[in-house]
Amino acid sequence: MKDERIRVAARWLHEAERVVVFTGAGISTESGIPDFRSPGGVWSRYNQDDLTYQRFRSHERYRKLYWEYDRARFPAMRDAQPNAAHHAVVEIERSGRLAALVTQNIDGLHQKAGSSPDKVLELHGTVHAVTCLDCDRRWNREEITARMEAEGIDVPYCEHCGGPLKCATIAFGQSLPADVLDQAFHHARHCDLFLTVGSSLVVQPAALLPAEARRAGAKLVLINLSDTPYDAIMDILLIGKAGPTAAALLAEFARL
Ligand code: APR
Ligand code: ZN
């Protein structure tokens, strides 16, 4: 039965002209990066209430906690390699059909796989940069972590304005980059196929995108390992691991 669904989804991909691919942490677990809500995921190991933007702003001890959390997770992201699902998304782009790649992920694996940076909309930012929360200056992450190691500090501050530095990811309570969010909703409203890969679709506003695409008449395909609140509006549900499932979809697409 799943093969039939793969065949139909591949035909829709072949007929599509403006595809939006929307990804979550589930596309990167096969690359060795834990997701957030699967058993053993990030939120079973860290208290997300301590890692909000408001807490970070409020006190040095929360900034220390946040940097410890971020630095503990960074090596897996730095060393991870894209998997077959990331490469399948690159193939969609190379077919000329990709309108946008909207990701909730901060790991940079789409760009590492070869997705064009100008096609990638990082709704929740990136671990590969650091920003000053007061003057918005931005650094490569390596520069700041090298400075932290050299100076033996665990909470860095801006050399220009003294503001607190934080990795350029969007914490709970922090607003998403407005221009990126606007572009993501624009593409969702103007696509003819919306492919979601590896998201629990529980964090808004990102989770609103599939329904927005449906309202605009797009067909919806979901590749995921577990249920989501939006399963009922998906035209095709491909329950399975992102790597092999996306690879099977693109293999069928290539035969058309
Ligand atoms: N293949 C397919 N699906 C997978 C795989 C896999 N190999 N591994 C995990 N999944 C599925 C899980 O079943 C789950 O439904 O991917 C989904 C991942 O969901 P979350 O862990 O909630 O990640 P995500 O949806 O990206 O979370 C959104 O929440 O905490 C915030 O900022 C964080 O960007 C994140 C946001
Ligand atoms: Zn500053």
Side-chain angles (χ1 to χ4, degrees):
M1 188 45 192
K2 187 170 160 193
D3 293 350
E4 178 51 25
R5 276 176 289 186
I6 293 251
R7 266 196 294 281
V8 174
R11 195 171 70 248
W12 288 357
L13 182 56
H14 183 69
E15 290 159 358
E17 289 171 4
R18 288 178 315 286
V19 178
V20 169
V21 178
F22 176 56
T23 63
I27 198 172
S28 295
T29 54
E30 291 161 69
S31 296
I33 300 173
D35 69 8
F36 293 91
R37 295 172 182 85
S38 291
V42 172
W43 298 138
S44 67
R45 289 180 283 123
Y46 292 92
N47 176 1
Q48 71 182 65
D49 297 339
D50 286 338
L51 298 166
T52 63
Y53 182 70
Q54 289 69 18
R55 289 259 169 111
F56 186 93
R57 275 287 199 182
S58 69
H59 198 282
E60 174 91 357
R61 73 169 176 278
Y62 288 115
R63 288 192 277 278
K64 187 169 181 305
L65 200 64
Y66 195 96
W67 271 101
E68 281 165 0
Y69 154 77
D70 178 72
R71 294 175 84 180
R73 296 184 63 226
F74 181 69
M77 296 193 193
R78 179 196 56 214
D79 303 340
Q81 291 307 316
N83 64 60
H86 297 101
H87 292 302
V89 177
V90 173
E91 282 176 61
I92 294 175
E93 179 182 344
R94 288 187 181 149
S95 80
R97 291 169 172 77
L98 185 73
L101 167 49
V102 183
T103 187
Q104 301 170 91
N105 298 342
I106 57 176
D107 55 33
L109 283 185
H110 284 301
Q111 294 91 328
K112 205 179 222 179
S115 289
S116 313
D118 65 334
K119 288 277 185 185
V120 183
L121 295 170
E122 291 177 313
L123 290 180
H124 296 162
T126 175
V127 283
H128 299 290
V130 173
T131 58
C132 170
L133 298 185
D134 287 352
C135 72
D136 290 335
R137 271 185 175 80
R138 198 174 171 92
W139 294 261
N140 280 331
R141 185 196 181 87
E142 290 74 14
E143 275 180 79
I144 299 301
T145 40
R147 195 186 117 204
M148 291 170 76
E149 273 142 29
E151 296 171 16
I153 51 175
D154 45 26
V155 179
Y157 290 88
C158 179
E159 289 166 326
H160 300 274
C161 77
L165 302 189
K166 182 182 160 299
C167 68
T169 58
I170 304 299
F172 280 111
Q174 191 172 359
S175 2
L176 277 66
D179 56 331
V180 177
L181 193 59
D182 288 349
Q183 288 175 65
F185 274 91
H186 170 80
H187 285 294
R189 291 180 184 126
H190 293 86
C191 69
D192 45 19
L193 180 64
F194 192 95
L195 169 62
T196 301
V197 186
S199 180
S200 61
L201 296 176
V202 295
V203 172
Q204 299 201 356
L208 299 173
L209 286 165
E212 203 64 28
R214 183 173 184 77
R215 253 194 294 283
K219 291 193 181 76
L220 271 55
V221 177
L222 172 71
I223 298 176
N224 210 51
L225 269 182
S226 64
D227 299 345
T228 80
Y230 292 91
D231 285 2
I233 67 165
M234 299 295 172
D235 295 292
I236 292 183
L237 278 177
L238 299 172
I239 303 300
K241 290 179 71 174
T245 307
L249 174 63
L250 269 292
E252 185 61 29
F253 167 75
R255 271 194 279 277
L256 296 174

